[in-house]
């Protein structure tokens, strides 16, 4: 087993570039980190391109024990291309203060970026720029069994590492649709008999008075 220690390695340089949105967009790939996210990616059949493992990190074994990763999951990890790196090099790739010693490169699900008009509720985010907030919204959407979301062009990148971590695996189950022109997108949705709902302070209407059937819920910054 070869263990990479040089940051000048071409594969390592490509992985480090995925911290930048520009390169994520160019390659159609993003990073996930931690035992739980890697485990979720495998169970959801995400397109994992490579798994990076810290060869000399004590945290790896600890994480396996804490998350009860059994031998069958380790066997699944071994089916993918694995890259072993030193602890020092892994720290350059990691985005967290206490890394668990495992991360993966995953391909985006951009071929699913079409609106599903069979769902009664479509959530639209306009200008939500905080990565933690976006990740929490995606996680809430997933827990509500909703499977798609539309983001305006000025929203935070849903594949930002902070967003991905905040989703706690929802990133693999939600169809994320980026709209270059939100007004035109909403007009197109309305053609499919949807009614647009927005929040406001100066109204007597309550969210509990709405029949959530064929509704587009728009949340703005």
């Amino acid at each position: 087993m070869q263990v990479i220690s040089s940051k000048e390695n071409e594969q390592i340089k490509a992985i480090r570039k995925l911290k930048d949105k520009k390169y994520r967009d160019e390659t159609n790939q993003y990073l996930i980190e931690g035992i739980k996210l890697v485990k979720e990616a495998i169970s959801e059949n995400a397109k994992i391109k490579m798994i990076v493992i810290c060869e000399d990190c004590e945290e790896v074994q600890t994480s396996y024990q804490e998350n009860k990763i059994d031998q069958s999951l380790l066997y699944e990890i071994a089916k993918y291309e694995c890259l072993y790196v030193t602890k020092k090099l892994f720290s350059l790739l990691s985005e967290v203060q206490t890394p668990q010693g495992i991360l993966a490169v995953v391909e985006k699900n951009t071929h699913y970026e079409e609106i599903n008009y069979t769902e009664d509720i479509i959530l639209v985010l306009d200008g939500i720029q905080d990565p933690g907030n976006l990740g929490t919204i995606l996680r809430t959407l997933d827990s509500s069994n909703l499977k798609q979301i539309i983001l305006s062009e000025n929203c935070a990148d849903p594949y930002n590492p902070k967003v991905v971590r905040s989703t706690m695996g929802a990133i693999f189950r939600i169809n994320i649709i980026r709209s270059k022109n939100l007004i035109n997108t909403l007009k197109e949705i309305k053609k499919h008999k949807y009614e647009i709902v927005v929040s406001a302070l100066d109204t007597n209407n309550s969210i509990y008075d709405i029949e959530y059937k064929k509704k587009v819920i728009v949340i703005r910054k």
Side-chain angles (χ1 to χ4, degrees):
M1 177 183 68
Q2 180 183 6
V3 180
I4 298 174
S5 59
S6 173
K7 64 180 181 181
E8 299 304 318
N9 178 277
E10 291 302 319
Q11 288 178 302
I12 295 300
K13 289 196 288 187
I15 294 170
R16 291 185 70 185
K17 286 181 180 179
L18 289 174
K19 294 183 179 184
D20 297 328
K21 181 181 184 301
K22 179 181 177 181
Y23 196 72
R24 291 195 293 269
D25 291 342
E26 288 178 359
T27 61
N28 200 39
Q29 297 175 347
Y30 64 103
L31 291 176
I32 64 173
E33 183 173 355
I35 293 292
K36 184 181 186 303
L37 276 178
V38 172
K39 182 178 181 180
E40 288 257 9
I42 292 174
S43 65
E44 294 294 335
N45 295 315
K47 291 189 175 181
I48 299 174
K49 310 301 289 185
M50 178 185 297
I51 297 177
V52 182
I53 300 171
C54 179
E55 193 273 339
D56 55 352
C57 287
E58 295 177 2
E59 292 89 345
V60 176
Q61 294 302 324
T62 302
S63 297
Y64 286 163
Q65 294 168 8
E66 289 177 353
N67 288 276
K68 299 181 180 178
I69 302 240
D70 56 25
Q71 203 65 32
S72 62
L73 182 58
L74 295 177
Y75 174 73
E76 290 298 319
I77 290 174
K79 292 180 181 179
Y80 297 90
E81 180 181 355
C82 292
L83 197 66
Y84 294 88
V85 301
T86 62
K87 185 174 184 177
K88 182 177 180 180
L89 191 54
F90 192 89
S91 66
L92 294 177
L93 303 177
S94 175
E95 283 283 328
V96 299
Q97 290 185 342
T98 55
Q100 293 184 343
I102 186 168
L103 59 81
V105 178
V106 182
E107 184 178 314
K108 298 179 186 178
N109 286 328
T110 51
H111 58 287
Y112 292 121
E113 286 189 353
E114 295 183 1
I115 299 173
N116 178 6
Y117 292 107
T118 65
E119 292 193 3
D120 279 329
I121 299 175
I122 298 176
L123 183 64
V124 175
L125 302 185
D126 183 13
I128 305 299
Q129 297 178 352
D130 183 270
N133 289 345
L134 178 54
T136 300
I137 291 172
L138 288 170
R139 190 170 72 244
T140 303
L141 197 71
D142 182 46
S143 66
S144 301
N145 202 33
L146 298 177
K147 300 302 180 184
Q148 65 183 337
I149 191 169
I150 299 174
L151 307 181
S152 66
E153 198 168 28
N154 61 337
C155 277
D157 179 16
Y159 299 101
N160 177 303
K162 291 182 180 179
V163 177
V164 174
R165 287 198 302 274
S166 297
T167 69
M168 297 179 68
I171 191 78
F172 308 123
R173 294 181 287 274
I174 302 294
N175 180 25
I176 300 172
I177 303 163
R178 298 303 298 258
S179 172
K180 293 183 178 180
N181 188 314
L182 191 56
I183 298 298
N184 288 344
T185 299
L186 291 173
K187 287 180 178 178
E188 184 63 30
I189 295 174
K190 287 186 70 176
K191 292 179 182 178
H192 292 79
K193 309 301 180 183
Y194 279 82
E195 182 180 4
I196 297 175
V197 177
V198 297
S199 60
L201 296 176
D202 54 344
T203 179
N204 294 322
N205 296 323
S206 168
I207 59 173
Y208 302 107
D209 297 331
I210 298 173
E211 181 184 4
Y212 289 96
K213 184 175 182 181
K214 302 291 280 187
K215 292 293 190 297
V216 180
I217 301 174
V218 181
I219 300 177
R220 300 193 65 187
K221 176 183 176 182

